Amino acid sequence: SDFKKPRGLTVVSNKTREAFLKKIPIRDIPGVGGNTEGLLTKYGYRFAWDIANGDMGFFESLLGKRGRELFQELNGESILPVKVDERIPQSVSRSRTFHDFTSDKKFCYRFALKLLMELSFRLREYHLVSNCLAFYMVTKDFKVQGQKMFLPGWTQDDRDFLMAFKTLFKGAFLPGKVYRKTGVILTNLKGNEG
């Protein structure tokens, strides 16, 4: 799970499996603790590939059911079913800290608008709609100024969000303030039935 952070997901094809497993020490295999590592090392197994390329019967006799499952998993057989969480999130958000503090209204507007467009794209990508947009600005001294607005209907259309965003931006951006961060949130999500 520590491989390829921050997302922790690595796709290993059959073509790259051997090279990949030859780099993974057995202690780094999830579920292999110190005692199992010591036992396997005693028999000359040092890397995940050594186990995957070994004899399943040997591992089953040495470690029982866990030995068989370890062998199967390293050979690409899923032991447990993959569960997909298909719940719709309550909200999606994007926020970013500016590289430098700023009071430039146009810069803040364009910066926040880009975040909104990313969220709008995400809604379309996942076939979701929203009817509520929230926007906020964070000042240099960490004070938050923000507002939210309910839209006339459920949407994933950039134009609908843009109309609401213009109003929210006017209310949240205070001239003369120095800002460090901005963020956009789309809430009340549901599946797009259209």
Side-chain angles (χ1 to χ4, degrees):
S1 66
D2 290 335
F3 196 81
K4 292 281 187 177
K5 288 292 184 187
R7 297 213 182 352
L9 175 67
T10 304
V11 177
V12 180
S13 69
N14 273 335
K15 286 183 179 180
T16 61
R17 184 174 65 93
E18 180 177 348
F20 178 79
L21 292 177
K22 282 183 175 180
K23 293 187 257 177
I24 307 294
I26 57 174
R27 71 179 163 275
D28 290 346
I29 300 170
V32 174
N35 290 337
T36 303
E37 178 189 4
L39 182 60
L40 291 170
T41 302
K42 182 174 134 181
Y43 286 97
Y45 297 96
R46 306 235 182 293
F47 294 93
W49 176 249
D50 299 334
I51 297 169
N53 199 37
D55 175 42
M56 182 172 66
F58 171 76
F59 295 111
E60 189 168 15
S61 67
L62 187 66
L63 302 170
K65 177 182 174 191
R66 180 62 190 130
R68 182 184 74 245
E69 290 175 347
L70 183 63
F71 177 86
Q72 290 172 316
E73 287 173 344
L74 291 172
N75 281 288
E77 295 178 45
S78 180
I79 302 306
L80 299 173
V82 176
K83 294 181 182 177
V84 178
D85 186 359
E86 294 188 17
R87 289 180 293 175
I88 294 174
Q90 294 178 8
S91 65
V92 290
S93 64
R94 287 277 188 271
S95 65
R96 295 284 185 280
T97 301
F98 304 131
H99 182 68
D100 294 312
F101 300 131
T102 186
S103 58
D104 184 330
K105 184 176 184 177
K106 286 183 181 179
F107 172 80
C108 291
Y109 182 87
R110 288 191 306 266
F111 196 93
L113 184 60
K114 182 176 184 255
L115 298 178
L116 176 60
M117 293 302 104
E118 290 173 9
L119 287 181
S120 179
F121 175 80
R122 191 167 169 198
L123 287 188
R124 289 188 298 276
E125 183 180 20
Y126 291 103
H127 308 288
L128 300 172
V129 291
S130 171
N131 75 343
C132 185
L133 170 64
F135 169 73
Y136 63 92
M137 299 287 302
V138 181
T139 64
K140 180 179 178 181
D141 57 349
F142 296 98
K143 291 192 170 97
V144 179
Q145 174 68 30
Q147 298 180 333
K148 73 177 179 179
M149 178 184 288
F150 286 92
L151 306 171
W154 299 90
T155 188
Q156 58 180 207
D157 191 302
D158 293 341
R159 294 168 295 191
D160 296 329
F161 294 131
L162 181 57
M163 288 175 28
F165 174 74
K166 286 178 181 178
T167 302
L168 293 173
F169 185 84
K170 286 178 188 174
F173 184 89
L174 302 174
K177 294 284 185 180
V178 179
Y179 293 99
R180 66 170 51 243
K181 181 179 182 174
T182 187
V184 181
I185 307 166
L186 294 172
T187 64
N188 294 346
L189 303 184
K190 70 176 189 173
N192 184 14
E193 297 151 5

